[in-house]
Amino acid sequence: MSLPPLPTLEHTPIPGLVVVRLDRRDDDRGFFKENWQREKMLAIGLPDFGPVQNNVSFNSDRGVTRGIHTEPWDKFISLATGRIFGAWVDMRRGDTFGTTFTLEMDTSVAVFVPRGVGNSYQVLEDGTAYTYLVNDHWRPGVTYPALALGDPTAAIAWPIPLSEAIISEKDQNAPALDPSTAMAPKKTLIVGALGQLGRALFAAYPDANRVDLFEGEGVTALDLADTQAVDAWPWHEYAVVLNAAAYTAVDAAETPEGRVAAWSANATGPATLARLARAHRFTLVHYSSDYVFDGTADLDPGHTEDEPLSPLGVYAQSKAAGDLAVGLAPRNYLLRTSWVIGEGKNFVRTMRSLAEKGVSPSVVDDQVGRLTFTEELVRATQHLLDTGAAYGTYNLSNGGPAMSWREIAQAVFERSGRSADDVSGTTTASYAEGVLAQGNPFAPRPLNSALSLEKIRATGFEPEDALVALDRYLTAG
């Protein structure tokens, strides 16, 4: 037996507004249709918009005309009985503001209406039942934009003259089309905005809201461990949350105080954001670490995204727990990275300072990986979001051959006018002995931190060579 055909999808001049032709089965008893079947709707290209409520508007008389209302949620519109003339106006800020689309609908047709598109209809048959799914709840006391049914700019050709239509008093007094009232898109939030990655993300997303543990520099204080503060935050206003917050003091994480702080920032915080992402349907972008692996993978191709987690120390374990939590968010990009270099104190700047001071350091030569400059992390983030790449985990570092810390230090020395021979080598074990002998904690490190970059390359993103990025970084000061 052949399977019933999928519904079909038709695009309209309003971006995101699509018409769905349903498979309606008629017989002498009436008809049957799958009005909303998630798997089939996703297969034809509808977004997984997560409806939370179903409404029915019953219209007794032909000529009832409902106003052009613009609520901040998505709708899936269809009919249980009757016929309508549907009309939609793009009320979103942008080039398509004011664009209109009209369509006569019966029970075999549905329309997906994205957030910010004004929606209205005129009833063409008595006893028409208009039904719609929405993915957010109406909030009392909040006013949403509306548009006059007879607005001359929209110029909707109503089949029944408005002078003969049945219209509520409120809809009769709706305003004219006004670009100043256009609905803004949902916002972006940067969590951990005062860190080196958070600062780089803000440079790329200057309109984003920013939060961190502490207030300052235009950043609002928000502690993800504070239940009351988290519950009071308007998460429904955001389309994207970029989580750059992390506890990165790898060795201090081995202390009793550091263990608590690491698990709070690296595991509990991401778990909270994943829960909120499910509830409010925002896309969660989270940044993880090569430390979730024990470093025993082959250098070529390096650690892959589907390699089982094998963290060694407390920091690594807390990051791995965060990865598992973020994976439960329906819309998530988890970027695993290595050896991050940005603004502030870091390995590259330390080596350049030593080179300029005439110091000849001994640097670990049995840990191998690739540098990741924060601008590369930002570029990859923009790429995944802008292209709508498949959600999930992606490795991301700069490109080029994997190098040891000693080789990177030598490259910095050479670019600072010193000889590469001025940097000697040591092992991780020897370095750890020296740290521990001074009474300081030392966390185990993966010896191989190289990440396979094939998955993100398959999306059309080509990582920049780490040495090219290093040259630019050093030149910029």
Side-chain angles (χ1 to χ4, degrees):
M1 185 192 329
S2 62
L3 294 174
L6 289 174
T8 60
L9 183 146
E10 301 168 6
H11 294 280
T12 74
I14 298 178
L17 181 80
V18 294
V19 177
V20 180
R21 304 287 178 177
L22 302 170
D23 177 30
R24 191 182 72 180
R25 303 298 178 92
D26 295 83
D27 61 24
D28 54 4
R29 299 167 298 173
F31 71 82
F32 173 83
K33 62 174 177 173
E34 291 182 331
N35 204 53
W36 167 262
Q37 208 270 28
R38 177 177 174 272
E39 184 176 348
K40 292 181 180 179
M41 296 303 179
L42 297 185
I44 64 172
L46 277 182
D48 196 2
F49 78 112
V52 298
Q53 184 171 322
N54 182 41
N55 302 321
V56 177
S57 175
F58 182 76
N59 304 274
S60 301
D61 301 317
R62 178 180 182 276
V64 168
T65 305
R66 306 278 183 171
I68 304 172
H69 301 155
T70 313
E71 296 90 1
W73 49 70
D74 305 318
K75 309 180 190 75
F76 184 80
I77 292 166
S78 60
L79 301 177
T81 60
R83 288 189 307 121
I84 66 166
F85 174 83
W88 297 272
V89 182
D90 197 340
M91 302 287 282
R92 299 169 294 187
R93 185 183 301 165
D95 295 339
T96 59
F97 175 79
T99 300
T100 62
F101 175 73
T102 62
L103 174 74
E104 186 171 317
M105 293 176 58
D106 62 17
T107 54
S108 67
V109 181
V111 175
F112 179 79
V113 185
R115 173 188 183 273
V117 173
N119 178 79
S120 63
Y121 65 94
Q122 189 170 75
V123 176
L124 302 180
E125 288 184 5
D126 294 348
T128 291
Y130 176 97
T131 179
Y132 55 107
L133 298 169
V134 295
N135 61 358
D136 206 349
H137 299 293
W138 175 80
R139 290 180 171 82
V142 180
T143 301
Y144 304 122
L147 176 64
L149 291 163
D151 181 84
T153 305
I156 296 170
W158 299 103
I160 300 171
L162 295 178
S163 59
E164 302 173 16
I166 304 168
I167 305 171
S168 72
E169 182 179 353
K170 180 180 178 181
D171 287 340
Q172 288 177 9
N173 294 302
L177 194 66
D178 181 358
S180 68
T181 64
M183 185 174 287
K186 284 193 173 185
K187 299 178 288 188
T188 296
L189 179 68
I190 301 172
V191 181
L194 293 175
Q196 64 175 352
L197 177 55
R199 293 175 187 274
L201 287 167
F202 183 62
Y205 296 95
D207 296 327
N209 292 157
R210 295 180 290 164
V211 296
D212 210 316
L213 282 175
F214 305 101
E215 186 176 8
E217 302 180 39
V219 175
T220 302
L222 179 64
D223 183 356
L224 293 179
D226 183 338
T227 302
Q228 282 190 320
V230 168
D231 289 346
W233 192 262
W235 298 102
H236 64 278
E237 296 180 2
Y238 296 95
V240 176
V241 174
L242 307 171
N243 182 33
Y247 182 93
T248 58
V250 174
D251 293 327
E254 299 295 321
T255 67
E257 299 82 3
R259 181 178 298 107
V260 173
W263 275 88
S264 177
N266 299 339
T268 305
T272 297
L273 291 174
R275 172 179 60 81
L276 293 165
R278 290 194 300 274
H280 298 281
R281 297 176 306 281
F282 59 73
T283 297
L284 175 60
V285 182
H286 177 71
Y287 303 90
S288 187
S289 168
D290 60 289
Y291 271 63
V292 301
F293 303 120
D294 62 10
T296 59
D298 293 336
L299 191 59
D300 186 16
H303 299 286
T304 59
E305 286 83 354
D306 58 358
E307 179 181 329
L309 301 178
S310 52
L312 297 174
V314 172
Y315 163 79
Q317 292 159 7
S318 67
K319 291 297 288 185
D323 285 12
L324 294 174
V326 168
L328 298 177
R331 302 170 180 84
N332 81 82
Y333 292 114
L334 194 160
L335 273 70
R336 286 204 184 112
T337 189
S338 61
W339 300 7
V340 177
I341 303 295
E343 293 303 312
K345 185 179 179 181
N346 58 60
F347 179 81
V348 168
R349 286 185 170 170
T350 298
M351 290 300 109
R352 181 173 62 180
S353 176
L354 295 178
E356 292 171 346
K357 293 176 181 177
V359 177
S360 298
S362 179
V363 178
V364 169
D365 59 9
D366 60 352
Q367 293 179 38
V368 179
R370 296 184 185 90
L371 294 178
T372 309
F373 290 86
T374 52
E375 63 182 17
E376 193 72 348
L377 272 172
V378 171
R379 191 169 72 90
T381 299
Q382 291 175 309
H383 169 79
L384 293 172
L385 290 171
D386 292 348
T387 62
Y391 296 120
T393 301
Y394 293 86
N395 291 338
L396 189 282
S397 70
N398 280 88
M403 303 171 69
S404 69
W405 283 118
R406 180 190 181 191
E407 289 173 320
I408 293 170
Q410 289 174 325
V412 174
F413 264 57
E414 289 176 332
R415 287 157 175 77
S416 303
R418 293 280 300 278
S419 170
D421 294 337
D422 291 339
V423 181
S424 59
T426 187
T427 65
T428 300
S430 296
Y431 178 73
E433 287 178 6
V435 173
L436 293 170
Q438 296 175 20
N440 296 317
F442 184 83
R445 269 81 163 157
L447 297 185
N448 172 20
S449 291
L451 300 171
S452 170
L453 302 175
E454 293 312 304
K455 182 176 178 180
I456 199 163
R457 282 194 172 108
T459 70
F461 182 88
E462 183 56 40
E464 182 182 43
D465 188 283
L467 292 179
V468 173
L470 177 64
D471 287 336
R472 184 172 58 254
Y473 184 82
L474 294 171
T475 300

